[in-house]
Amino acid sequence: AFQLTQSPSSLSASIGDSVTIACRAGQGISSSVAWYQQKPGTPPKLLIYHTSTLETGVPSRFSGSGSGTDFTLTISGLQPEDFATYYCQQFYGHLSTFGQGTRLDIK
Amino acid sequence: EVYLVESGGNLVQPGRSLRLSCAGSGFTFDDYAMHWVRQAPGKGLEWLSGISWSGGSLGYADSLKGRFTISRDNAKHLLYLQMNSLRPDDTALYYCARSQTSSGWSGGFDHWGQGALVTVSS
């Protein structure tokens, strides 16, 4: 089974900080990843797809990059509403998988 | 506006079966692939299964070991997940999600339901 490894599993930051979350694939399976934000009690929200394309309505402080096996989500200038859990996702043939999640807390 | 509404969640004994449904509205249902994703209490997201717009392309997580079956009825705008031989570790909130594409195997999931709770316990 193919796997995605996210790091860190949790991090603390302050309003205005910039943070980066990493997602590593076990092998160069797909050319792209998607990123989601999830807040407690709500379904995930798509932020970025095809590695770097911002979903409609998502603020430009979110950005994605990467290729091959290594991908990143960067949030520049954290806002109070950004504290949540983030997941990466990748596809392989007719399979998909999510990373284990990164919890972003207020410091 | 796009709506996805799951139903069929329940308390069920180990070894029993359950079928979840997901009703889609506000979009042309048969233009999009659909997926099921679950989240156990306090845990992360687990992709379970996906189906292309026509139902001709299916995919399942290896961990399901053939116990779950995805299907769709485009005329009724419904997505299904038949779950057999349920185990306590199947206890989770089950989400249906719309793929951005008709094939379903790229991009992301741009709309999600609120989830259906399945509890497997004796």
Side-chain angles (χ1 to χ4, degrees), chain B:
Chain B
E1 189 170 350
V2 172
Y3 288 102
L4 296 171
V5 180
E6 301 93 340
S7 60
N10 211 335
L11 170 64
V12 62
Q13 292 180 326
R16 303 299 291 265
S17 297
L18 200 63
R19 188 177 80 161
L20 301 181
S21 301
C22 170
S25 61
F27 64 104
T28 303
F29 189 76
D30 55 6
D31 274 352
Y32 295 89
M34 299 293 295
H35 294 257
W36 288 99
V37 177
R38 72 182 177 185
Q39 189 167 35
K43 302 297 185 182
L45 302 174
E46 180 184 11
W47 176 82
L48 298 176
S49 183
I51 185 168
S52 64
W53 68 275
S54 66
S57 173
L58 309 177
Y60 295 95
D62 291 342
S63 62
L64 297 182
K65 294 184 171 62
R67 296 184 298 122
F68 291 9
T69 302
I70 193 171
S71 62
R72 65 190 294 160
D73 184 335
N74 285 341
K76 296 181 179 179
H77 296 187
L78 288 171
L79 173 73
Y80 301 105
L81 185 68
Q82 176 67 41
M83 304 184 293
N84 298 330
S85 303
L86 283 163
R87 309 184 305 217
D89 62 357
D90 292 317
T91 294
L93 189 62
Y94 285 71
Y95 293 107
C96 68
R98 191 186 82 167
S99 172
Q100 290 178 302
T101 68
S102 59
S103 67
W105 308 111
S106 66
F109 301 163
D110 60 0
H111 290 277
W112 297 64
Q114 292 299 311
L117 183 61
V118 174
T119 303
V120 184
S121 175
S122 54

Side-chain angles (χ1 to χ4, degrees), chain A residues 24 26 31 65 71 74 88 96 100 107:
Chain A
R24 170 166 286 182
S31 61
S65 65
F71 301 87
T74 298
C88 57
S96 183
Q100 75 271 30
K107 186 184 291 183

Side-chain angles (χ1 to χ4, degrees), chain A residues 2 4 18 22 38 40 44 47-48 56-57 60 64-65 68 70 72 74-76 79 84 86 88 90 96 100 104:
Chain A
F2 77 108
L4 292 177
S18 291
Q38 188 180 30
L47 298 175
I48 288 171
T56 302
S60 59
S65 65
D70 294 301
T72 58
T74 298
I75 312 171
S76 302
Q79 298 299 302
Y86 293 86
C88 57
Q90 208 175 40
S96 183
Q100 75 271 30
L104 175 57

